[in-house]
Amino acid sequence: MRYVRRFSRTERVLHWVNAIGFFLLLATGLILYLPSLAADVGDRPTIKDIHFWGGIGWVAALVLVALLGDRRGLLRTAREIDGFSKQDLNWLRRRRPSEQGRFNAGQKLNASLTAAYLVLFFVSGMLLWAGERDTRFRFASTVILHDGLLYASLALLVGHLYLAVIHPATRHALRGMVTGTVREDWAHAHHPRWDVSD
Amino acid sequence: MEERKYGRGVFLATVAAGVSSLAWGRSAWSHVSSALGGAEAFVPLVPGGGWRIYTVADHMPVFDPETWQLRVGGLVQEPLTLDYGALRALPRTNQVRTFHCVTGWTVQDVHWSGVHLTDLFDRVKPLPEAGAVQFVSAEVPYVDYLSLRQASLADVMLAYEMNGKPLPQEHGAPIRLVIPEMYGYKNVKWVSEIRLVRQPEDGYWEQLGYDRDAWVGRSNGYSS
Ligand code: HEM
């Protein structure tokens, strides 16, 4: 069986730092959000500190990985995610021909939305923190944005986890994010327009 | 073959929608939730009925009906100590009001039952120099103040029931202050002592920069 390289080390570290940070913030955020959890856990001030500083650490870690890692490779990947070919649009509309490159159109959308949610979580979280200290940063809608992102990002995450862990045809992709390589025949079948030599 | 830059388009449009929602999110949300108002009884739009539990200490006060007491004192002629039974024996009053948090969330149609503060004042008889009321929470160091006039508004109450059930621990069991026209941080939970004093001072959140007179929609940087 031949394997081909799918994700660089930088890309994998970035992905897993993002995932770990998200789950930490999700867990602490839910304790802040759900009355039953809040009552069981107690100690809101500590949970709040973990959540806030965890958010800062999460974003800082992502920036550091991007800066210290393979920047050129990341930029190239970003360009791949940015560009939608005719095939990509056909794929979204379930029309042929729709052979996909290294990323299919769904993966591209997932990546763009995830990045946007990250920025918005960070902005609204910083505003929640600053608004508690200064009325100039206090907006009645900040908490609604932060909560809305919780629901939006969970919806995206459920779809992502289903395809990456459960769905038989696609779950081989998880190997690419863990070890960096995937089976060559799988790559050909799912991403026929991906030039695996580069 | 030509490619379209939809990736950055999706990214930028989502960020723009999110940031601009700081201006319209709240009113959009209240339209949605009032349009679905009837449905909410069956499928809650938000978990926990929309409440967030804000606390400032590392654990919540525990209510023990056997030992619990409410002291009412300070600048009064006849200081008073009530146990839970005596509190429940006072004249009961009910109201249905919207609860407003200063961070922007609200909970509509909360049913409160409890005692009017003015009924307590009639019993302890404030001295002429009393101009304000201090509410001490069992959650140390939470404390807050109302002017005597604010505390004497007709709908200010000490609530011991919420939505037909004894006040749950996380909402301040056994009693919390309810002053619906002011933001939640004035609605002190776990009230354990009420003292008549000369004038209002800064409570817990006011020491951190929030307004003493926390009128909903007319304070803390909001105007509506
Ligand atoms: C990116 C950095 C983030 C920062 C700086 C941040 C910051 C904050 C702050 C300051 C609060 C307010 C706490 C309070 O005063 O009660 C908060 C609440 C919350 N956060 Fe975050 N957060 C971030 C990311 C996230 C993420 C990724 C999630 C979920 C996946 C999340 C979920 C929540 C929830 C559910 C609440 C409670 C909101 C409410 O009370 O309605 N946060 N966050």
Side-chain angles (χ1 to χ4, degrees), chain A residues 21-23 25-34 44 48 51-56 58-59 117-130 132-133 143-144 146-147 149-150 153-154, chain B residues 52-54 103 105 205:
Chain A
F22 182 85
F23 280 111
L25 288 157
L26 176 64
T28 48
L30 287 179
I31 297 173
L32 297 174
Y33 185 48
L34 299 174
R44 185 179 186 91
K48 209 160 124 174
H51 186 78
F52 176 70
W53 291 108
I56 304 261
W58 182 43
V59 173
Y117 292 163
L118 173 81
V119 170
L120 290 172
F121 265 126
F122 185 66
V123 169
S124 57
M126 294 304 288
L127 282 176
L128 284 177
W129 183 82
E132 192 177 314
R133 285 152 185 80
V143 80
I144 290 170
H146 208 71
D147 293 352
L149 287 165
L150 168 73
S153 60
L154 276 184
Chain B
R52 277 71 161 174
I53 304 304
Y54 290 166
T103 62
W105 53 269
W205 285 107

Side-chain angles (χ1 to χ4, degrees), chain A residues 73-148:
Chain A
L74 279 186
L75 275 180
R76 209 173 53 173
T77 300
R79 274 196 296 274
E80 286 180 48
I81 289 171
D82 188 17
F84 278 65
S85 63
K86 189 105 195 295
Q87 276 86 353
D88 288 339
L89 300 178
N90 285 347
W91 188 92
L92 287 174
R93 298 196 201 101
R94 300 181 170 281
R95 273 213 222 124
R96 299 195 178 272
S98 60
E99 288 86 30
Q100 298 293 282
R102 180 175 165 216
F103 299 114
N104 67 42
Q107 292 171 315
K108 292 179 181 180
L109 285 180
N110 181 50
S112 301
L113 283 174
T114 302
Y117 292 163
L118 173 81
V119 170
L120 290 172
F121 265 126
F122 185 66
V123 169
S124 57
M126 294 304 288
L127 282 176
L128 284 177
W129 183 82
E132 192 177 314
R133 285 152 185 80
D134 187 332
T135 43
R136 279 175 303 162
F137 300 113
R138 200 171 295 157
F139 308 106
S141 301
T142 312
V143 80
I144 290 170
L145 173 56
H146 208 71
D147 293 352

Side-chain angles (χ1 to χ4, degrees), chain B residues 1-16:
Chain B
M1 206 216 84
E2 107 207 59
E3 284 202 327
R4 289 165 194 266
K5 310 276 185 214
Y6 284 159
R8 74 183 66 174
V10 167
F11 172 81
L12 291 173
T14 309
V15 171

Side-chain angles (χ1 to χ4, degrees), chain B residues 73-163:
Chain B
L75 301 173
V76 298
Q77 283 174 28
E78 297 172 23
L80 183 69
T81 302
L82 295 166
D83 62 16
Y84 190 57
L87 177 84
R88 297 290 304 236
L90 293 173
R92 177 189 171 102
T93 165
N94 308 298
Q95 61 179 332
V96 181
R97 301 296 291 264
T98 300
F99 184 94
H100 298 268
C101 176
V102 69
T103 62
W105 53 269
T106 58
V107 181
Q108 282 165 11
D109 296 337
V110 190
H111 292 243
W112 301 109
S113 304
V115 291
H116 276 308
L117 265 189
T118 45
D119 278 342
L120 275 185
F121 295 158
D122 288 347
R123 263 153 241 255
V124 297
K125 305 196 175 62
L127 295 171
E129 61 264 37
V133 192
Q134 179 194 38
F135 299 90
V136 182
S137 174
E139 190 198 24
V140 182
Y142 205 98
V143 62
D144 201 42
Y145 295 80
L146 293 176
S147 73
L148 191 52
R149 273 182 66 165
Q150 294 167 352
S152 305
L153 290 171
D155 49 3
V156 178
M157 69 185 335
L158 288 174
Y160 48 65
E161 277 180 16
M162 181 180 140
N163 297 328

